[in-house]
Amino acid sequence: MNVAGTGMRVVVATRPVDFRKGHDGLAAVVEQELGLDPYSGVAVVFRPKRLDRMKVLWWDGTGLVLASKRLEQGRFAWPAVRDGVMRLSGAQCEALFEGLDWRRMWSRRVRRPLAAA
């Protein structure tokens, strides 16, 4: 999932959800439980109780997109279970999607140069 550099906002729903839910059910969770607009372009990453699966829901401007992934080996590095959401950078989201530990990723802000040398 390539989101780094796109400016897409990515949040993780930290409380596990029922993975039998589809597009509409997860959009309702985004709206009613997380207090976000599922049609705003934000990508919401969902986790089940099993740590080897994930679903990502986002609005691409023409419809809701739902992507799912199951790791064949290992587990995703999920944040602690609690209410609400946690924001991820594009690089952290890509690391999570690849099954890597996103907590080891960080963004370093670099100031714009004042003049070319």
Side-chain angles (χ1 to χ4, degrees), residues 6 13 37 47 55 62-63 66-67 89 95 109-110:
T6 64
D37 179 5
R47 63 185 284 176
K55 285 189 177 182
T62 61
L66 181 61
S89 71
R109 300 281 183 210
V110 178

Side-chain angles (χ1 to χ4, degrees), residues 31-79:
E31 195 168 38
Q32 296 168 3
E33 295 181 24
L34 303 179
L36 299 172
D37 179 5
Y39 306 101
S40 66
V42 64
V44 183
V45 180
F46 294 97
R47 63 185 284 176
K49 290 182 180 178
R50 296 183 64 161
L51 300 177
D52 65 339
R53 299 158 197 258
M54 77 161 48
K55 285 189 177 182
V56 184
L57 179 75
W58 75 96
W59 174 259
D60 72 352
T62 61
L64 282 173
V65 179
L66 181 61
S68 63
K69 184 166 185 175
R70 180 189 72 214
L71 291 177
E72 293 300 322
Q73 294 181 2
R75 300 175 175 172
F76 290 108
W78 292 111

